[in-house]
Amino acid sequence: MAENQGKRVTGRGSAQQDQTGRHFIPSKLGTVEQSVLQRIEDFNDPRQEWRRLFSELYGTFLLVIVAAGGGMMSQAFPGVISRTAAVVAPGLMVMAIILFMGKVSGAHLNPAVSIAFALRGDFPWRRVPGYIVVQLIGATLACLLLQAVIGVSATFGSNYPAANYSASAAFWMEALLTMVLVSVILGTASGAQNIGILGAFGVGGYIALAGLWGSPISGTSMNPARTFGPDLASGNFSDYWVYVAGPLVGAAAAVGLAFILRGPGGGMSGSGAAQGALFTEAAEEEKP
């Protein structure tokens, strides 16, 4: 009988442990959800707006330093920097920026990306103008610095349609390349498929890949700010419309494709990534 009582006690203990475990799982999930909501609330705090804008300015500055700097350094030192190196370097820089600064502003670094996130419903429209302005400023400051240090015109760091190719051909190339870029960005930041910090490698890897095969025709800008900086610094806006219209059309197409693939946006995961949260952090285990 004592043995049976022991079994009953043990059974009650196991049931209590199972019940505790069942309560613990929702508790952990609730903590994770609260963490994400708190991060989004922090992003919406207007007192942090200056930090987010500075992050976009600094990130775009670093991107254009590498993207425009490759062409300008190649002009200053012929034969030293290959085309492969020049188009792969921006992808590596974007990867690094997302990893070390993505949580601050979302690391858009590109007016087309900011507009795409807003169209998708993951980013507030009222913040888009500020993001675009600081992106353009960051790109321009980068090219002014490059001109002063390297001593060659920023024209060599800009993007123009290739010889024997029309501006319309370059436009369609920019639209195609940007469509895939924004598809990768929206896809890795979606609620259905948030791959978290690995998204930095996906985005950076695609930028390098696009440059390897698409740069001969249009220069693979995919970013109105990236081309605006060297054009303003050099005073040469030849065919600049290509590098505004192409990326914007490609970004809009990517938003449409995202709707077909995953439905409407605006979910917690996508909004968190667009607004500065690279991934959902796991809740810390409760201490006994």
Side-chain angles (χ1 to χ4, degrees):
M1 181 179 296
E3 183 178 356
N4 292 335
Q5 289 177 349
K7 290 181 179 180
R8 286 196 294 271
V9 171
T10 302
R12 286 196 298 270
S14 299
Q16 291 174 353
Q17 291 175 358
D18 292 341
Q19 187 69 17
T20 301
R22 284 195 293 269
H23 285 303
F24 180 59
I25 293 174
S27 176
K28 288 176 65 177
L29 293 177
T31 303
V32 172
E33 184 175 354
Q34 290 174 6
S35 174
V36 175
L37 290 175
Q38 182 63 48
R39 190 177 298 122
I40 295 175
E41 182 178 342
D42 291 342
F43 182 86
N44 289 328
D45 183 354
R47 292 173 298 179
Q48 301 300 322
E49 186 70 11
W50 69 271
R51 183 172 282 112
R52 295 187 292 269
L53 294 176
F54 178 77
S55 172
E56 285 296 304
L57 187 151
Y58 183 38
T60 310
F61 172 87
L62 294 178
L63 167 60
V64 177
I65 279 285
V66 172
M72 295 172 70
M73 290 291 283
S74 180
Q75 176 67 21
F77 303 94
V80 174
I81 299 177
S82 66
R83 183 182 74 89
T84 299
V87 299
V88 169
L92 297 177
M93 177 55 79
V94 168
M95 186 188 308
I97 293 169
I98 294 174
L99 290 173
F100 91 88
M101 224 165 40
K103 282 190 175 182
V104 179
S105 66
H108 298 189
L109 317 178
N110 184 339
V113 172
S114 297
I115 291 173
F117 272 131
L119 286 173
R120 182 75 175 141
D122 292 332
F123 190 74
W125 277 105
R126 58 190 170 84
R127 290 216 166 87
V128 171
Y131 266 49
I132 292 177
V133 169
V134 296
Q135 288 160 1
L136 297 177
I137 292 174
T140 303
L141 291 176
C143 292
L144 291 174
L145 177 61
L146 288 170
Q147 279 192 155
V149 173
I150 302 175
V152 300
S153 172
T155 300
F156 296 105
S158 190
N159 305 110
Y160 304 101
N164 301 322
Y165 280 87
S166 66
S168 61
F171 161 80
W172 286 113
M173 179 60 72
E174 285 295 307
L176 172 63
L177 295 172
T178 308
M179 180 184 71
V180 183
L181 170 64
V182 176
S183 292
V184 172
I185 293 172
L186 295 180
T188 57
S190 73
Q193 186 177 329
N194 188 343
I195 65 173
I197 203 167
L198 293 179
F201 297 93
V203 175
Y206 172 75
I207 291 173
L209 175 63
L212 288 173
W213 78 270
S215 62
I217 291 180
S218 67
T220 320
S221 172
M222 303 181 288
N223 184 340
R226 179 260 179 270
T227 304
F228 176 85
D231 281 1
L232 181 61
S234 64
N236 182 3
F237 280 91
S238 299
D239 293 317
Y240 178 63
W241 71 270
V242 168
Y243 302 97
V244 175
L248 292 181
V249 168
V255 173
L257 290 173
F259 179 83
I260 295 172
L261 291 171
R262 289 176 290 275
M268 182 182 300
S269 180
S271 296
Q275 299 182 21
L278 278 176
F279 58 91
T280 301
E281 296 178 350
E284 295 182 359
E285 294 184 4
E286 296 182 2
K287 296 182 180 180

